[in-house]
PDB file of all heavy atoms in Angstrom:
ATOM      1  N   HIS R 111     -68.304-117.690  64.601  1.00  0.00           N
ATOM      2  CA  HIS R 111     -67.007-118.363  64.680  1.00  0.00           C
ATOM      3  C   HIS R 111     -67.092-119.859  64.324  1.00  0.00           C
ATOM      4  O   HIS R 111     -66.226-120.391  63.624  1.00  0.00           O
ATOM      5  CB  HIS R 111     -66.464-118.180  66.111  1.00  0.00           C
ATOM      6  CG  HIS R 111     -65.164-118.810  66.367  1.00  0.00           C
ATOM      7  ND1 HIS R 111     -63.963-118.191  66.100  1.00  0.00           N
ATOM      8  CD2 HIS R 111     -64.840-120.034  66.873  1.00  0.00           C
ATOM      9  CE1 HIS R 111     -62.970-119.004  66.430  1.00  0.00           C
ATOM     10  NE2 HIS R 111     -63.471-120.130  66.900  1.00  0.00           N
ATOM     11  N   HIS R 115     -65.265-122.015  61.183  1.00  0.00           N
ATOM     12  CA  HIS R 115     -64.531-123.288  61.249  1.00  0.00           C
ATOM     13  C   HIS R 115     -65.150-124.279  60.255  1.00  0.00           C
ATOM     14  O   HIS R 115     -64.451-124.984  59.532  1.00  0.00           O
ATOM     15  CB  HIS R 115     -64.643-123.907  62.649  1.00  0.00           C
ATOM     16  CG  HIS R 115     -63.621-123.413  63.639  1.00  0.00           C
ATOM     17  ND1 HIS R 115     -62.267-123.477  63.414  1.00  0.00           N
ATOM     18  CD2 HIS R 115     -63.765-122.868  64.877  1.00  0.00           C
ATOM     19  CE1 HIS R 115     -61.617-122.987  64.473  1.00  0.00           C
ATOM     20  NE2 HIS R 115     -62.505-122.607  65.369  1.00  0.00           N
ATOM     21  N   SER R 135     -63.646-128.335  68.469  1.00  0.00           N
ATOM     22  CA  SER R 135     -62.822-127.214  68.932  1.00  0.00           C
ATOM     23  C   SER R 135     -62.817-127.191  70.456  1.00  0.00           C
ATOM     24  O   SER R 135     -63.265-128.137  71.108  1.00  0.00           O
ATOM     25  CB  SER R 135     -63.365-125.903  68.366  1.00  0.00           C
ATOM     26  OG  SER R 135     -64.587-125.593  68.986  1.00  0.00           O
ATOM     27  N   GLY R 136     -62.333-126.091  71.026  1.00  0.00           N
ATOM     28  CA  GLY R 136     -62.294-125.981  72.484  1.00  0.00           C
ATOM     29  C   GLY R 136     -63.685-125.755  73.052  1.00  0.00           C
ATOM     30  O   GLY R 136     -63.984-126.151  74.168  1.00  0.00           O
ATOM     31  N   GLY R 137     -64.546-125.126  72.268  1.00  0.00           N
ATOM     32  CA  GLY R 137     -65.881-124.802  72.760  1.00  0.00           C
ATOM     33  C   GLY R 137     -66.975-125.717  72.229  1.00  0.00           C
ATOM     34  O   GLY R 137     -68.050-125.785  72.814  1.00  0.00           O
ATOM     35  N   GLY R 162     -62.043-130.664  72.635  1.00  0.00           N
ATOM     36  CA  GLY R 162     -60.878-129.839  72.965  1.00  0.00           C
ATOM     37  C   GLY R 162     -60.766-129.620  74.461  1.00  0.00           C
ATOM     38  O   GLY R 162     -59.673-129.679  75.038  1.00  0.00           O
ATOM     39  N   PHE R 165     -59.186-132.533  76.149  1.00  0.00           N
ATOM     40  CA  PHE R 165     -57.717-132.509  76.029  1.00  0.00           C
ATOM     41  C   PHE R 165     -57.135-131.520  77.046  1.00  0.00           C
ATOM     42  O   PHE R 165     -56.147-131.820  77.726  1.00  0.00           O
ATOM     43  CB  PHE R 165     -57.288-132.089  74.614  1.00  0.00           C
ATOM     44  CG  PHE R 165     -57.189-133.224  73.639  1.00  0.00           C
ATOM     45  CD1 PHE R 165     -58.309-133.651  72.938  1.00  0.00           C
ATOM     46  CD2 PHE R 165     -55.984-133.878  73.411  1.00  0.00           C
ATOM     47  CE1 PHE R 165     -58.229-134.706  72.033  1.00  0.00           C
ATOM     48  CE2 PHE R 165     -55.894-134.931  72.508  1.00  0.00           C
ATOM     49  CZ  PHE R 165     -57.012-135.346  71.819  1.00  0.00           C
ATOM     50  N   ASP R 166     -57.753-130.344  77.146  1.00  0.00           N
ATOM     51  CA  ASP R 166     -57.232-129.305  78.049  1.00  0.00           C
ATOM     52  C   ASP R 166     -57.331-129.746  79.510  1.00  0.00           C
ATOM     53  O   ASP R 166     -56.403-129.539  80.294  1.00  0.00           O
ATOM     54  CB  ASP R 166     -57.991-127.987  77.844  1.00  0.00           C
ATOM     55  CG  ASP R 166     -57.757-127.409  76.447  1.00  0.00           C
ATOM     56  OD1 ASP R 166     -56.690-127.694  75.865  1.00  0.00           O
ATOM     57  OD2 ASP R 166     -58.633-126.692  75.945  1.00  0.00           O
ATOM     58  N   GLY R 179     -54.175-129.550  74.132  1.00  0.00           N
ATOM     59  CA  GLY R 179     -54.200-130.362  72.911  1.00  0.00           C
ATOM     60  C   GLY R 179     -52.828-130.707  72.352  1.00  0.00           C
ATOM     61  O   GLY R 179     -52.458-131.896  72.267  1.00  0.00           O
ATOM     62  N   PRO R 180     -52.039-129.686  71.988  1.00  0.00           N
ATOM     63  CA  PRO R 180     -50.732-129.986  71.389  1.00  0.00           C
ATOM     64  C   PRO R 180     -49.805-130.740  72.336  1.00  0.00           C
ATOM     65  O   PRO R 180     -49.041-131.605  71.905  1.00  0.00           O
ATOM     66  CB  PRO R 180     -50.156-128.597  71.069  1.00  0.00           C
ATOM     67  CG  PRO R 180     -51.320-127.656  71.115  1.00  0.00           C
ATOM     68  CD  PRO R 180     -52.352-128.256  72.010  1.00  0.00           C
ATOM     69  N   GLU R 183     -50.866-134.405  72.502  1.00  0.00           N
ATOM     70  CA  GLU R 183     -50.453-135.078  71.256  1.00  0.00           C
ATOM     71  C   GLU R 183     -48.967-135.425  71.292  1.00  0.00           C
ATOM     72  O   GLU R 183     -48.566-136.525  70.921  1.00  0.00           O
ATOM     73  CB  GLU R 183     -50.767-134.193  70.039  1.00  0.00           C
ATOM     74  CG  GLU R 183     -50.396-134.897  68.747  1.00  0.00           C
ATOM     75  CD  GLU R 183     -50.792-134.151  67.482  1.00  0.00           C
ATOM     76  OE1 GLU R 183     -51.098-132.954  67.552  1.00  0.00           O
ATOM     77  OE2 GLU R 183     -50.754-134.785  66.419  1.00  0.00           O
ATOM     78  N   GLY R 268     -59.893-126.633  66.333  1.00  0.00           N
ATOM     79  CA  GLY R 268     -58.550-126.845  66.894  1.00  0.00           C
ATOM     80  C   GLY R 268     -58.111-128.293  66.999  1.00  0.00           C
ATOM     81  O   GLY R 268     -56.958-128.619  66.715  1.00  0.00           O
ATOM     82  N   VAL R 269     -59.027-129.194  67.360  1.00  0.00           N
ATOM     83  CA  VAL R 269     -58.648-130.609  67.547  1.00  0.00           C
ATOM     84  C   VAL R 269     -58.287-131.257  66.205  1.00  0.00           C
ATOM     85  O   VAL R 269     -57.576-132.264  66.164  1.00  0.00           O
ATOM     86  CB  VAL R 269     -59.773-131.384  68.275  1.00  0.00           C
ATOM     87  CG1 VAL R 269     -59.386-132.820  68.550  1.00  0.00           C
ATOM     88  CG2 VAL R 269     -60.150-130.690  69.586  1.00  0.00           C
ATOM     89  N   ALA R 271     -56.210-130.290  64.376  1.00  0.00           N
ATOM     90  CA  ALA R 271     -54.746-130.187  64.237  1.00  0.00           C
ATOM     91  C   ALA R 271     -54.062-131.477  64.676  1.00  0.00           C
ATOM     92  O   ALA R 271     -52.869-131.675  64.419  1.00  0.00           O
ATOM     93  CB  ALA R 271     -54.232-129.009  65.068  1.00  0.00           C
ATOM     94  N   ASN R 272     -54.812-132.371  65.335  1.00  0.00           N
ATOM     95  CA  ASN R 272     -54.228-133.601  65.870  1.00  0.00           C
ATOM     96  C   ASN R 272     -53.998-134.631  64.757  1.00  0.00           C
ATOM     97  O   ASN R 272     -54.946-135.135  64.144  1.00  0.00           O
ATOM     98  CB  ASN R 272     -55.167-134.175  66.946  1.00  0.00           C
ATOM     99  CG  ASN R 272     -54.545-135.330  67.684  1.00  0.00           C
ATOM    100  OD1 ASN R 272     -54.314-136.381  67.109  1.00  0.00           O
ATOM    101  ND2 ASN R 272     -54.259-135.129  68.953  1.00  0.00           N
ATOM    102  N   THR R 299     -56.723-124.244  64.019  1.00  0.00           N
ATOM    103  CA  THR R 299     -56.897-123.462  65.252  1.00  0.00           C
ATOM    104  C   THR R 299     -57.344-122.050  64.859  1.00  0.00           C
ATOM    105  O   THR R 299     -57.350-121.712  63.675  1.00  0.00           O
ATOM    106  CB  THR R 299     -55.578-123.440  66.067  1.00  0.00           C
ATOM    107  OG1 THR R 299     -54.517-123.179  65.177  1.00  0.00           O
ATOM    108  CG2 THR R 299     -55.331-124.764  66.748  1.00  0.00           C
ATOM    109  N   ASP R 300     -57.731-121.245  65.854  1.00  0.00           N
ATOM    110  CA  ASP R 300     -58.360-119.955  65.542  1.00  0.00           C
ATOM    111  C   ASP R 300     -57.457-119.050  64.705  1.00  0.00           C
ATOM    112  O   ASP R 300     -56.265-118.903  64.988  1.00  0.00           O
ATOM    113  CB  ASP R 300     -58.750-119.261  66.851  1.00  0.00           C
ATOM    114  CG  ASP R 300     -59.913-119.977  67.515  1.00  0.00           C
ATOM    115  OD1 ASP R 300     -60.517-120.855  66.862  1.00  0.00           O
ATOM    116  OD2 ASP R 300     -60.222-119.645  68.665  1.00  0.00           O
TER     117      ASP R 300
HETATM  118  O1  KG4 T 401     -60.765-123.963  67.410  1.00  0.00           O
HETATM  119  P1  KG4 T 401     -59.879-123.597  68.545  1.00  0.00           P
HETATM  120  O2  KG4 T 401     -58.531-122.997  68.237  1.00  0.00           O
HETATM  121  O3  KG4 T 401     -60.608-122.621  69.531  1.00  0.00           O
HETATM  122  C1  KG4 T 401     -61.976-122.720  69.794  1.00  0.00           C
HETATM  123  O4  KG4 T 401     -62.773-122.271  68.958  1.00  0.00           O
HETATM  124  O5  KG4 T 401     -62.280-123.303  70.859  1.00  0.00           O
HETATM  125  O6  KG4 T 401     -59.707-124.922  69.410  1.00  0.00           O
HETATM  126  C2  KG4 T 401     -58.924-124.929  70.558  1.00  0.00           C
HETATM  127  C3  KG4 T 401     -58.918-126.332  71.103  1.00  0.00           C
HETATM  128  C4  KG4 T 401     -58.261-126.425  72.461  1.00  0.00           C
HETATM  129  O7  KG4 T 401     -59.095-127.147  73.328  1.00  0.00           O
HETATM  130  C5  KG4 T 401     -56.980-127.190  72.152  1.00  0.00           C
HETATM  131  O8  KG4 T 401     -56.518-127.977  73.236  1.00  0.00           O
HETATM  132  C6  KG4 T 401     -57.406-128.048  70.977  1.00  0.00           C
HETATM  133  O9  KG4 T 401     -58.235-127.207  70.212  1.00  0.00           O
HETATM  134  N1  KG4 T 401     -56.241-128.463  70.182  1.00  0.00           N
HETATM  135  C7  KG4 T 401     -55.862-129.741  70.032  1.00  0.00           C
HETATM  136  C8  KG4 T 401     -54.666-129.723  69.285  1.00  0.00           C
HETATM  137  N2  KG4 T 401     -54.358-128.418  68.993  1.00  0.00           N
HETATM  138  C9  KG4 T 401     -55.344-127.661  69.563  1.00  0.00           C
HETATM  139  N3  KG4 T 401     -56.424-130.893  70.473  1.00  0.00           N
HETATM  140  C10 KG4 T 401     -55.802-132.049  70.168  1.00  0.00           C
HETATM  141  N4  KG4 T 401     -54.637-132.107  69.472  1.00  0.00           N
HETATM  142  C11 KG4 T 401     -54.028-130.980  69.011  1.00  0.00           C
HETATM  143  N5  KG4 T 401     -52.883-131.042  68.326  1.00  0.00           N
END
Side-chain angles (χ1 to χ4, degrees):
H111 179 86
H115 274 304
S135 71
F165 273 86
D166 295 333
E183 182 175 16
V269 183
N272 188 293
T299 45
D300 289 349

